[in-house]
Amino acid sequence: MKKLPVLILLISALSGKAFAQTETNLYDPNAKPQLVAKQFSFTEGPAVDKKGNVFFTDQPNNKIWKYDTEGKLSVFLDSAGRSNGMYFDKKGNLISCADADDQLWSISPKGKVTVLLKDYQGHKFNGPNDVWVRPDGGIYITDPYYQRDYWTRKQPDLDGQKLYFLAKGKAPAVMVDDKFVRPNGIIGTPDGKTLYVADIGDNKTYRYDINKDGTLSNRTLFIAMGCDGMTIDEHGNIYMCGKGVTIVNPKGEKIGHIDIDEPWTANICFGGKNKDILFMTASKAVYVLKMNVKGVD
């Protein structure tokens, strides 16, 4: 019986060591992100389908590109509504923030466009920026205002920059949080219970509990850091884009940083057949990095 406490301490120590390795050994520290291509004007919105193919936007050129699991690039859609953030729903439709006319689109696997949202209470959205689809098909949309040179308007139609929710098949959208300076990146957990939203304008990121009806509760400061796009891995670590990629554990602690030799890293997702390839859109380029963890998008 005297040996039991020693055994418990040993098990605890080993468990702590294993957990620490999970946090820090996310990828080979000697590996560097590999350039896929640098032929674009500004890349955004990567989203992964069920097979591991990644779709991303070249927003100024109004195209959605496909990067397949064999590493081949091809154009998926021309005249893509100046798509920005994107995410796949369970049926394989690509949900897109199409800010040419400040709409939310659903794009079928064959490229057919259905407009899900075109306004909020009769007013144009500021410019839907990023999107996350929860497991039951409900959609969260960040709506900051970034003046686009292809818009005829010079000021927003709406008061404030907010977060909206669109229940599956139940337009119109409802506003679920208005306490932002400029909301941007968004991601949720695969169980549909937790949402993360970055307020890039206030350099903060918040965590919420997701209620069944789409409302949010328990708004908590996750980290005093804002970001552009985000993704999440199988351990709940959040990957936050901006100047490279900052990796933050579920406690809100920074545990790593991936340097990207570009002015700005806009967005990110896990792709590939095993969902273990980190795909990053960065200024005029796209990059990949082999990981030791998998994504859950």
Side-chain angles (χ1 to χ4, degrees):
M1 293 298 293
K2 292 181 180 180
K3 294 182 179 180
L4 187 58
V6 176
L7 181 60
I8 291 172
L9 287 172
L10 179 60
I11 292 172
S12 298
L14 290 173
S15 298
K17 184 177 181 181
F19 181 71
Q21 287 177 339
T22 299
E23 288 185 325
T24 58
N25 194 25
L26 302 174
Y27 60 94
D28 182 350
N30 296 315
K32 295 184 180 297
Q34 299 298 303
L35 176 67
V36 173
K38 199 170 186 176
Q39 64 193 60
F40 314 103
S41 293
F42 190 80
T43 56
E44 251 288 4
V48 62
D49 68 12
K50 291 179 181 179
K51 295 180 180 179
N53 304 301
V54 174
F55 294 71
F56 66 96
T57 76
D58 184 0
Q59 193 175 28
N61 290 320
N62 202 17
K63 298 180 188 293
I64 296 176
W65 285 77
K66 178 181 178 181
Y67 177 72
D68 71 19
T69 56
E70 302 301 323
K72 180 183 176 182
L73 279 171
S74 60
V75 174
F76 169 67
L77 187 66
D78 279 311
S79 301
R82 299 273 186 167
S83 289
N84 196 337
M86 304 190 296
Y87 203 91
F88 275 96
D89 68 15
K90 295 295 185 183
K91 293 183 177 180
N93 299 307
L94 187 57
I95 308 302
S96 165
C97 296
D99 77 10
D101 290 310
D102 310 299
Q103 298 175 342
L104 186 71
W105 286 7
S106 174
I107 306 170
S108 76
K110 293 184 178 181
K112 181 182 178 181
V113 173
T114 300
V115 177
L116 299 178
L117 291 173
K118 62 179 182 179
D119 59 44
Y120 177 70
Q121 297 182 349
H123 300 281
K124 274 186 174 291
F125 284 99
N126 290 322
N129 184 277
D130 208 356
V131 59
W132 178 69
V133 183
R134 71 185 199 179
D136 69 353
I139 302 170
Y140 291 93
I141 313 114
T142 58
D143 187 44
Y145 189 83
Y146 292 97
Q147 182 65 51
R148 307 299 192 187
D149 57 10
Y150 44 83
W151 289 346
T152 56
R153 61 176 171 151
K154 300 301 179 184
Q155 62 184 22
D157 292 7
L158 293 169
D159 178 23
Q161 304 182 42
K162 304 172 185 179
L163 175 67
Y164 296 90
F165 175 72
L166 176 64
K168 183 180 179 181
K170 293 184 180 179
V174 296
M175 189 273 293
V176 289
D177 195 357
D178 61 355
K179 297 178 180 66
F180 300 103
V181 176
R182 180 173 283 173
N184 196 306
I186 187 169
I187 195 67
T189 54
D191 61 7
K193 294 181 178 180
T194 306
L195 186 71
Y196 297 89
V197 181
D199 187 349
I200 198 169
D202 198 27
N203 202 32
K204 293 180 174 66
T205 297
Y206 295 95
R207 178 174 55 211
Y208 303 80
D209 292 339
I210 299 174
N211 303 319
K212 189 175 181 180
D213 64 357
T215 59
L216 303 171
S217 55
N218 297 325
R219 184 187 206 252
T220 304
L221 179 65
F222 174 60
I223 186 171
M225 172 185 168
C227 72
D228 205 329
M230 297 191 286
T231 194
I232 187 170
D233 71 20
E234 59 188 329
H235 299 297
N237 301 309
I238 309 296
Y239 296 66
M240 305 174 68
C241 291
K243 189 59 179 174
V245 178
T246 300
I247 306 171
V248 181
N249 70 17
K251 297 178 181 179
E253 301 165 339
K254 295 180 183 179
I255 59 172
H257 188 272
I258 300 170
D259 292 322
I260 306 289
D261 189 20
E262 299 291 346
W264 187 253
T265 303
N267 219 322
I268 190 168
C269 74
F270 281 85
K273 293 178 181 178
N274 298 315
K275 301 289 180 67
D276 61 352
I277 304 297
L278 201 60
F279 185 96
M280 296 156 281
T281 57
S283 300
K284 297 181 178 182
V286 291
Y287 289 81
V288 293
L289 179 64
K290 175 69 170 63
M291 303 293 290
N292 295 329
V293 292
K294 297 180 180 181
V296 294
D297 289 351

